[in-house]
């Protein structure tokens, strides 16, 4: 079970607000409303984390669509774990995180992203920050890969 940090929920809300702005300045698109419900409960109960697996389906679909717009791996193609380091100097992930990245859930990946961003010791955050900014995120699988069996695929908001 992976937990989604409240900042990821907030980022998804803001992404959707930019993508589907309110036509009247009051109402919000269905994706924002679904995510806002989760966000409000987190704030009310002072919970910084939401369980990835128990989110309401509409909120999870909205979150996964936002997630698919973010870069997948923090790799900047300077991997020191292949040279025997326990933690990669380039991206900040542990050897196990690098090895198992393809099977991590979106929530697990975002948890690693959060940790390495807060640590900010990896070269992606200092020496090679410009290289990291050029990351396209093209290695992301489509959001419907993560949909629950039998659930409708997330709608394309473009």
């Amino acid at each position: 079970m992976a937990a989604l940090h409240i900042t990821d929920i907030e980022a998804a809300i803001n992404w959707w607000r930019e993508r589907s702005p309110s036509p009247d300045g009051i109402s919000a698109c269905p994706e924002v409303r679904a995510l806002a419900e989760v966000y409000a409960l987190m704030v009310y109960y002072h919970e910084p984390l939401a369980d990835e697996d128990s989110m309401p389906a509409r909120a999870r679909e909205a979150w996964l669509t936002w997630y698919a717009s973010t870069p997948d791996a923090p790799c900047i193609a300077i991997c020191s774990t292949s040279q025997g380091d326990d933690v990669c100097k380039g991206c900040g992930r542990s050897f196990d995180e690098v090895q198992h990245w393809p099977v991590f859930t979106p929530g697990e990946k975002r948890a690693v992203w959060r940790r390495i961003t807060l640590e900010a010791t990896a070269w992606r955050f200092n020496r090679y920050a410009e290289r990291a900014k050029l990351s396209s995120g093209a290695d992301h699988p489509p959001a419907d890969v993560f949909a629950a069996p039998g659930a409708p695929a997330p709608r394309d908001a473009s």
Side-chain angles (χ1 to χ4, degrees), residues 2 15 28 45 49 75 92 96 120 133 141 144 151-152 158:
W15 183 82
Y45 289 109
L49 303 171
C75 182
D96 286 338
K133 286 179 186 171
D144 60 350
S158 39

Side-chain angles (χ1 to χ4, degrees), residues 52-53 57 60-61 63-70 72 101-109 139-154:
E52 177 183 20
D53 296 329
R60 181 170 165 72
E61 289 171 19
W63 186 84
L64 285 171
T65 303
W66 164 79
Y67 167 78
S69 75
T70 64
D72 180 47
W101 193 260
V103 297
F104 279 8
T105 68
E108 291 169 330
K109 289 179 180 182
D139 51 354
H140 250 304
D144 60 350
V145 167
F146 304 109

